[in-house]
């Protein structure tokens, strides 16, 4: 079973109010909107703290945009969203972004719990933390992510922080969620598009570092990782899907 099939296994989407938690590149909003259309209706609210994601998301959705309302909000505090109003929340590749400071993921879980109807579903999927490569194909990913985190720490003092499923499950239970199911999936290939975006973002971030020697050292490292990717390719870490109910 694919991860997306596992996410929606046994859930009838017809007429549901769905929250896509973390619009980003809108891959999930697009997929959910197609599913909702096939199921004959319903509505999606797609939430991101960065409203700059919305115009591109609307463009990607085309006619399906009529099923979607975009809302600028912080997933850790959403006074705009009524309690017990949502049937299904999908949070794809975003819980690590929310968790850019310790315990923020718990705040988001508690907001998800508050806004879900009784019996409503929360589906979270995210990468496993990968502190070191367990196979050679993971080396590029480990290096590029360590580099991103080191630079982010220097310029912003915070960065995406992945969570082990056991710890996320513990936190979800504390908040009140039940019927928790977890499944692991293998990571896909790192595409040249992903790597190019990473390189561009790293260049912008390196320019914000004060120390000139550090800047040069990071430049060299980024070039070295890029070269390794071009020669050997790479894969994302494994990821997990966690399903639970209020
Ligand atoms: C990797 S992207 C999400 C990808 C998206 N789900 C998809 O399927 O294409 C992570 C998003 O989370 C958003 N984000 C990070 N922290 C957030 C927060 N506290 N509240 C709302 N959105 C947040 C970022 O702005 C970013 O757009």
């Amino acid at each position: 079973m694919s991860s997306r099939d596992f996410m929606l296994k046994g859930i009838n989407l017809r007429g549901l109010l769905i929250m896509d938690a973390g619009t980003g590149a809108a891959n999930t909003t697009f997929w959910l909107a197609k599913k909702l259309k096939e199921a004959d209706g319903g509505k999606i609210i797609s939430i991101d703290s960065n409203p700059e994601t919305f115009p591109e998301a609307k463009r990607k959705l085309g006619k399906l945009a009529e099923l979607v309302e975009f809302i600028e909000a912080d997933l850790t505090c959403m006074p705009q969203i009524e309690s017990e109003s949502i049937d299904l929340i999908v949070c794809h590749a975003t819980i690590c972004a929310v968790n850019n400071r310790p315990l923020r993921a718990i705040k988001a879980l508690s907001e998800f719990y508050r806004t879900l109807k009784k019996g409503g579903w929360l589906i979270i999927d995210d990468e496993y933390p990968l502190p070191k490569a367990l196979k050679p194909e993971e080396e590029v990913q480990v290096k590029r992510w360590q580099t991103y985190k080191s630079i982010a720490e220097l310029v912003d003092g915070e960065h995406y922080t992945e969570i082990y499923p056991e710890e996320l499950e513990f936190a979800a239970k504390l908040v009140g969620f039940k019927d928790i199911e977890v499944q692991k999936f293998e990571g896909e290939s790192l595409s040249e598009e992903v790597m190019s975006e990473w390189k561009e973002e790293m260049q912008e971030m390196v320019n914000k570092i004060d120390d000139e020697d550090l800047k040069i050292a990071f430049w060299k490292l980024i070039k070295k990782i890029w070269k390794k990717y071009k020669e050997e390719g790479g894969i994302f870490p494994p990821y997990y899907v966690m399903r639970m109910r209020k």
Side-chain angles (χ1 to χ4, degrees), residues 20 22-28 48-50 53 73-76 92-94 97-98 104 160:
D20 180 17
T23 311
N27 295 315
T28 307
D48 206 292
S49 52
N50 176 7
T53 56
D74 182 338
L75 294 167
T76 66
H92 165 74
T94 297
V98 170
R104 292 196 83 220
Y160 284 22

Side-chain angles (χ1 to χ4, degrees), residues 60-78:
K60 189 180 243 171
L61 282 162
K63 274 205 79 174
L64 291 169
E66 65 192 22
L67 297 173
V68 183
E69 181 186 353
F70 291 94
I71 299 180
E72 178 183 352
D74 182 338
L75 294 167
T76 66
C77 178
M78 300 184 276

Side-chain angles (χ1 to χ4, degrees), residues 16-235:
L16 297 193
L17 178 57
I18 303 176
M19 178 194 294
D20 180 17
T23 311
N27 295 315
T28 307
T29 311
F30 183 67
W31 167 61
L32 289 171
K34 272 202 302 194
K35 285 286 195 189
L36 217 46
K37 187 88 183 166
E38 284 163 22
D40 218 11
K43 191 183 156 191
I44 298 171
I45 53 172
S46 188
I47 296 188
D48 206 292
S49 52
N50 176 7
E52 285 173 22
T53 56
F54 299 154
E56 180 55 22
K58 279 182 196 152
R59 198 199 55 73
K60 189 180 243 171
L61 282 162
K63 274 205 79 174
L64 291 169
E66 65 192 22
L67 297 173
V68 183
E69 181 186 353
F70 291 94
I71 299 180
E72 178 183 352
D74 182 338
L75 294 167
T76 66
C77 178
M78 300 184 276
Q80 306 90 323
I81 313 296
E82 261 181 56
S83 297
E84 313 227 321
S85 61
I86 310 286
D87 296 291
L88 164 68
I89 299 177
V90 178
C91 183
H92 165 74
T94 297
I95 202 73
C96 64
V98 170
N99 200 43
N100 57 356
R101 287 208 311 270
L103 304 183
R104 292 196 83 220
I106 297 191
K107 287 181 82 182
L109 284 173
S110 127
E111 276 295 79
F112 293 158
Y113 192 85
R114 178 187 67 76
T115 54
L116 273 176
K117 292 179 185 166
K118 285 206 176 72
W121 290 93
L122 170 62
I123 320 282
I124 296 180
D125 76 297
D126 216 335
E127 289 173 9
Y128 279 80
L130 193 61
K132 67 176 192 191
L134 303 175
K135 33 189 170 184
E137 309 89 277
E138 289 174 346
E139 272 169 25
V140 168
Q141 171 66 13
V142 169
K143 293 264 179 274
R144 85 177 180 106
W145 219 225
Q146 281 173 346
T147 307
Y148 147 70
K149 286 181 178 174
S150 312
I151 302 173
E153 194 64 49
L154 284 168
V155 300
D156 291 333
E158 54 187 54
H159 51 70
Y160 284 22
T161 307
E162 300 78 13
I163 306 171
Y164 285 103
E166 300 75 21
E167 286 156 8
L168 190 62
E169 183 174 351
F170 181 82
K173 281 185 185 155
L174 278 184
V175 166
F177 283 103
K178 57 181 189 185
D179 302 339
I180 302 179
E181 293 175 83
V182 191
Q183 202 158 307
K184 180 178 177 180
F185 296 89
E186 287 310 314
E188 289 161 11
S189 296
L190 273 170
S191 67
E192 180 134 356
E193 192 189 343
V194 165
M195 285 302 290
S196 301
E197 277 172 16
W198 167 79
K199 199 166 141 215
E200 249 175 59
E201 204 183 329
M202 290 309 96
Q203 285 167 350
E204 275 177 32
M205 285 167 70
V206 166
N207 286 336
K208 294 184 189 159
I209 298 176
D210 295 333
D211 187 287
E212 286 304 314
D213 293 336
L214 262 183
K215 250 186 201 171
I216 292 165
F218 274 120
W219 270 121
K220 281 192 185 156
L221 185 57
I222 291 163
K223 277 195 195 150
K224 208 162 130 187
I225 296 168
W226 177 255
K227 184 165 176 275
K228 188 171 172 65
Y229 169 73
K230 294 296 269 183
E231 287 168 3
E232 298 169 25
I235 59 170

